[in-house]
Amino acid sequence: CLNVFKGLRFVREEGDPWPDGLDLTDLERSKGLGRTQEDYIRYYFQEIGDPKAADWPSEALLQKFDTKTFIEFLKEQPGHAPEAPVSNDYVALYRADVGTEVDVGGALSLLATMAIDKNWSTTYSADGGLDQLPKAMAAKLDGRIRYGHRVSRVARGEGGLTVFATTATADVSFEAEHVVCTLPPPQVRKIAFEPALSTDKAKAFAEAKMMPASRMYFQTKSRFWSAEKFTGGKSIGGLKMVRTDTPMERLWDPGAIMPSSEKGLLMAYMQHQNAEAFGAEPEASRGAYLLPFAKQALPTIEGELDGPTWQKAWQNDEWTEGGWYAPGPGDVGNRALMAAEESAVHFAGEHTSLWSGWMQGALESGERASAEILAADGQTADARTSVRDLLRFALTRLFPEGLA
């Protein structure tokens, strides 16, 4: 990974010495960014416990971790080394590595997500893009998806539920025994529920914050970065290729998981205030806005740019108003409130799962909603069968030879 930090530009592997100019503790210098997390973060996983347990979190966890942001937690606690508090440069390097969401994300919420992912070792991709997964699932549903319908009201009467929606040409309605609402919180807030949602549930949706997130992709004439050699003959490449303390934050190489090509593909990835600053720029000038920061990492990038770019500022998208649900301090209980069924209306989506922002979070929530419906109807079949069969069908089309 290439680091652009405090005016320095360097490649460092675990075990290598840090360059001069960084104010790190002896522990941080000896262990590095990755292994130091054993002391500063993973040390607390046993205390965090099982975030999926019915009685989680305890009052003690709420008082200790849910009153501060993750970055405040990281700054305040010394982990295994009370004689050597966490340095400011380590905090800044960690932020550059994982993204600025840690500046506003609640400590307990993010620690819970890290705890359930502690054994994560393998990430899969699909040739041609993972958008094939929802497309394959939609094909399995064989025309039952209604596009272009904006839902405005969900009403419960003696005969069941009625969903009211508007299309480009008409007002329509649908009758149902159960309704599953997977809309992100900003859209849920716009729907009239009759009867109204409970006070606590409505408050949870009203307070739900979405993380500003922006990305911009650049095509390049070649994968020119791989030719540059750093100290010890090191070169750069791979998905998480560059981390910086600039407003660009990170520069990823998604081309590393694409079919072989002479051309390159780079992606700038911003969160929080950096994402908002990018999204506030006119679309036509966003590339020019990012270029000076990209040149700090890859000085020759300007001459390598080739063809169109693609960009997305999720906070500007009227349907999501952000990239993912981002609980802050004091919000850890809101996820369960948003997920709870009321009046045969079931709620799913990444914002109701510990895996906020991830595809598996949405799928897990779908399994839970299907279990609720089957239980309400007195069925004893495996509540997860329908969702998993649908997913299995889609994955089989994407990975015909199976997953290793």
Side-chain angles (χ1 to χ4, degrees):
C1 180
L2 173 63
N3 300 272
V4 178
F5 188 73
K6 295 182 71 173
L8 302 172
R9 183 173 178 267
F10 61 94
V11 172
R12 180 188 175 277
E13 296 177 356
E14 293 292 352
D16 289 347
W18 289 93
D20 294 335
L22 299 182
D23 184 16
L24 300 170
T25 68
D26 290 342
L27 175 70
E28 293 160 356
R29 285 190 174 276
S30 63
K31 285 198 167 184
L33 187 63
R35 289 195 298 131
T36 307
Q37 293 181 36
E38 294 287 347
D39 299 270
Y40 291 166
I41 299 172
R42 289 188 283 271
Y43 169 74
Y44 290 94
F45 285 175
Q46 184 173 357
E47 183 178 357
I48 292 297
D50 180 8
K52 292 188 174 184
D55 59 350
W56 190 91
S58 66
E59 186 61 32
L61 287 178
L62 290 172
Q63 292 181 7
K64 183 172 182 177
F65 297 106
D66 202 33
T67 58
K68 61 195 75 174
T69 67
F70 186 86
I71 213 70
E72 289 170 341
F73 152 79
L74 189 59
K75 289 179 178 179
E76 291 174 4
Q77 57 80 38
H80 285 312
E83 73 284 355
V86 181
S87 71
N88 289 332
D89 277 2
Y90 179 90
V91 170
L93 282 165
Y94 181 81
R95 180 191 289 114
D97 186 50
V98 301
T100 52
E101 68 170 328
V102 294
D103 287 340
V104 290
L108 185 55
S109 293
L110 287 174
L111 282 168
T113 300
M114 294 174 189
I116 62 173
D117 276 344
K118 61 185 177 183
N119 295 321
W120 176 12
S121 61
T122 304
T123 300
Y124 294 97
S125 63
D127 288 345
L130 276 172
D131 59 337
Q132 295 173 96
L133 181 57
K135 289 176 181 177
M137 296 174 76
K140 179 70 171 178
L141 291 171
D142 193 25
R144 282 176 281 177
I145 298 176
R146 305 292 183 93
Y147 296 100
H149 288 63
R150 182 189 288 266
V151 174
S152 58
R153 184 160 61 104
V154 179
R156 182 167 185 82
E158 292 184 2
L161 290 155
T162 305
V163 178
F164 297 88
T166 301
T167 71
T169 58
D171 295 329
V172 296
S173 63
F174 304 90
E175 306 294 327
E177 295 180 9
H178 298 270
V179 168
V180 179
C181 177
T182 65
L183 296 172
Q187 293 302 316
V188 174
R189 294 194 284 262
K190 299 173 185 178
I191 295 176
F193 290 92
E194 302 171 6
L197 298 177
S198 65
T199 301
D200 287 346
K201 190 179 190 73
K203 183 173 181 288
F205 273 112
E207 295 175 348
K209 298 176 284 290
M210 303 295 285
M211 175 58 58
S214 298
R215 292 183 175 185
M216 188 165 193
Y217 289 80
F218 303 88
Q219 181 172 283
T220 58
K221 299 172 185 175
S222 67
R223 302 185 185 192
F224 63 95
W225 52 86
S226 62
E228 184 175 2
K229 300 301 178 184
F230 294 83
T231 303
K234 297 182 180 70
S235 59
I236 58 173
L239 182 61
K240 298 183 178 182
M241 189 173 74
V242 178
R243 56 186 174 218
T244 82
D245 59 0
T246 74
M248 180 184 69
E249 295 196 26
R250 293 171 287 176
L251 197 61
W252 287 9
D253 174 17
I257 56 174
M258 294 174 62
S260 177
S261 170
E262 292 183 359
K263 293 184 181 293
L265 183 65
L266 296 172
M267 180 193 76
Y269 183 11
M270 298 145 282
Q271 299 173 352
H272 186 32
Q273 293 177 338
N274 291 327
E276 291 181 323
F278 172 85
E281 292 285 326
E283 288 192 17
S285 64
R286 289 176 183 170
Y289 167 78
L290 285 182
L291 186 59
F293 310 125
K295 288 173 71 173
Q296 291 183 43
L298 304 174
T300 61
I301 187 175
E302 187 170 10
E304 287 282 347
L305 295 177
D306 179 42
T309 60
W310 184 90
Q311 57 185 275
K312 178 74 174 183
W314 274 269
Q315 65 274 9
N316 296 347
D317 188 314
E318 66 168 315
W319 298 106
T320 60
E321 300 183 27
W324 56 86
Y325 172 53
D331 292 342
V332 77
N334 284 352
R335 184 180 280 110
L337 289 170
M338 290 190 289
E341 173 268 338
E342 287 191 3
S343 300
V345 180
H346 307 264
F347 294 84
E350 56 85 24
H351 56 285
T352 67
S353 168
L354 285 166
W355 281 296
S356 294
W358 292 95
M359 202 177 283
Q360 64 261 36
L363 292 166
E364 180 196 49
S365 73
E367 289 189 345
R368 174 187 48 76
S370 67
E372 293 170 356
I373 294 171
L374 290 170
D377 290 345
Q379 297 186 38
T380 58
D382 183 350
R384 300 169 298 180
T385 299
S386 59
V387 175
R388 289 194 173 179
D389 282 350
L390 189 59
L391 178 59
R392 188 177 296 110
F393 168 82
L395 288 173
T396 299
R397 292 184 60 173
L398 291 182
F399 302 100
E401 297 180 0
L403 298 176

